[in-house]
Structures are given as structure tokens and as C-alpha cells.
Amino acid sequence: MTDTRKTGDIRKPRTPGGTREPGVASARRILLGTTMILAPAILLLGHLLTVPADEPVPALLRDISGKPTLYVLSTIMIAFGVLLLPLSFVGMMRFAPARGGALVTIGAALATIGAIGAGAGNAMFGMVLGSLLPAHPDLATQVIRIAGDAPAATWQWQLFYLFPIGLVLIAIGLILARRLPVWMPIVLGTGTLLLLVSGAGGLLTFLLLLPLGVGLAAPGVVLLGRSRAGGDGGLPDDGARAVPTSMK
């Protein structure tokens, strides 16, 4: 039963426990699930469009100079997608409220630090090079060399390794939590391993990052489905049950 308010009060009733209004909770799940899908999609598209950053310097300068606007756009997309990922990690935590929750939370924290570092570094590097080329190739060459050698310019990339470590912990925690089909965290973990050999942009990088993108986006699809069905999205206070861990 719910508390009813006095006649004339058009606000929605509350449950005895004072829980959130269903409409607000559903809207939050929809926004979170949508972000969980958009973040990896934008990240993958940005890597498909960008110039491979691991090319030899002369080839890198030539390719950026040929399409400077597209290069800047793609690096902004990569940075934006990466910086949205912490919200995806929040969504992952909804699927591990008890068992596996500590691993998912620690993994989310580590992956967030790595994502912020990688996103900031990618945005800076891409926007600077896109602004210098094709007018100032010599200065752009110096920027590339400094970015590869100076400790003060590489701190963002040093933080990057927290990102895959965190993703592996998230995947393990989600397997233990059993709130998602087991193939989802397995794909997430496999995609994380492929991330380490995925390169720095282009079609091959896109293909190698595709499993990671699926592993990140699939829980968002589940969350959106539960929102449409009026489900809990993995929250313990709504009485959710663990799903079977079979691949069916």
C-alpha cells in the first residue's frame, strides 16, 4: 500500500519506504543505458576515422595535412567517447550490488582514472596537431617528438594502463555477480586484451576494438530493456534476481 496525500494534491504517491518515483528512476536508467551505448559507439567511430598515430612521423604529418578537419573531429570523438565511459562504469556497478560488487567498484575507479588520462591526452595531442598542420609541419614534428619523450607530456598515457586493469576487474566482478548473461563480461574481458594490441587508429584498430565496444554497450541494452519493461536495472532494493550464467 502507498501513502495517499490530501485531496487536491496532484503529486504522485510515495511508497512506505520513501523510494524514488518510478518515472524518475526509469528516466535515469534510460539516460544511463543510452550513455553506455553511445560512449563505445562514438569511441569506435572516432578510431575508424582517425589517422593511425603509430605511423612514421613523415607519413603521420602527410595524412593529417591531407584531412586536418577530419583528424581533429576524429580525435575529439575519441576523447568524448572515452570521457563518457565513467558513466558506463556506473551502469556496470548497477549489475553487481552484492556479489562481485567490490571488484566492479575498484575496477570502475581504476578504469575511470585511466579513461580521464587517455581522453585528456588524446584531445590535447589531436587538437594541437590539427591546428599546426598543414601550415607548420616543422613545429608539428617537434610537438610529436616532445609528446613521445618528455615526462610532463606523457603522464596521461602512463595512466592509461589503469584502464585495462580496471576493465578486467569489472569483467570478473560481473561474472561473479551473475546479473548479466555470462557472455557479456567474457566479451568485455576479451575485448580488453585485444585493446592492448589494437594499435592507434584506422580500420584494424576499429576491428580489434569492436569486441570491447560490444562488451561495454551490451549491458546498456539490458538496462534500457529493463527500463521499458519497468524492471530494476540491477538495483538490489527492487528485488532483482540473478540471471543464469549459461550462454543460451
Side-chain angles (χ1 to χ4, degrees):
M1 296 181 62
T2 59
D3 278 341
T4 55
R5 298 180 182 271
K6 62 184 181 180
T7 304
D9 192 336
I10 63 174
R11 288 178 292 180
K12 293 182 179 180
R14 295 177 181 172
T15 60
T19 56
R20 295 185 303 270
E21 295 179 72
V24 174
S26 179
R28 288 175 179 172
R29 286 195 296 269
I30 291 172
L31 290 174
L32 187 57
T34 301
T35 302
M36 293 172 71
I37 297 171
L38 285 179
I42 295 171
L43 179 62
L44 286 171
L45 183 58
H47 276 97
L48 179 63
L49 296 176
T50 196
V51 174
D54 52 1
E55 289 183 334
V57 174
L60 180 62
L61 295 178
R62 182 187 65 247
D63 291 343
I64 296 176
S65 298
K67 299 178 179 179
T69 302
L70 180 60
Y71 175 73
V72 172
L73 175 62
S74 65
T75 54
I76 291 176
M77 290 178 66
I78 293 171
F80 187 65
V82 171
L83 293 174
L84 280 178
L85 286 179
L87 291 177
S88 295
F89 305 148
V90 172
M92 300 287 189
M93 287 190 286
R94 296 178 71 106
F95 294 102
R99 182 169 51 185
L103 282 176
V104 174
T105 301
I106 294 171
L110 294 177
T112 294
I113 295 172
I116 292 174
N122 197 83
M124 279 194 310
F125 189 72
M127 293 175 69
V128 169
L129 284 185
S131 300
L132 292 175
L133 293 171
H136 307 284
D138 293 337
L139 186 55
T141 301
Q142 294 181 33
V143 169
I144 293 174
R145 289 174 178 167
I146 292 173
D149 298 331
T154 60
W155 65 268
Q156 303 96 331
W157 311 120
Q158 294 167 7
L159 292 176
F160 167 77
Y161 292 101
L162 296 176
F163 184 67
I165 293 173
L167 289 179
V168 169
L169 293 178
I170 290 174
I172 295 173
L174 290 176
I175 291 174
L176 295 176
R178 299 176 60 193
R179 298 254 177 160
L180 290 169
V182 71
W183 68 264
M184 292 185 184
I186 288 177
V187 170
L188 177 61
T190 302
T192 301
L193 297 179
L194 292 175
L195 167 67
L196 300 175
V197 296
S198 62
L203 179 59
L204 180 59
T205 297
F206 171 82
L207 294 175
L208 290 173
L209 289 180
L210 198 54
L212 177 60
V214 172
L216 290 168
V221 175
V222 173
L223 197 59
L224 285 178
R226 292 183 181 181
S227 297
R228 288 194 297 269
D232 70 307
L235 284 175
D237 56 357
D238 292 327
R241 293 181 179 178
V243 300
T245 56
S246 70
M247 299 291 285
K248 295 180 181 180

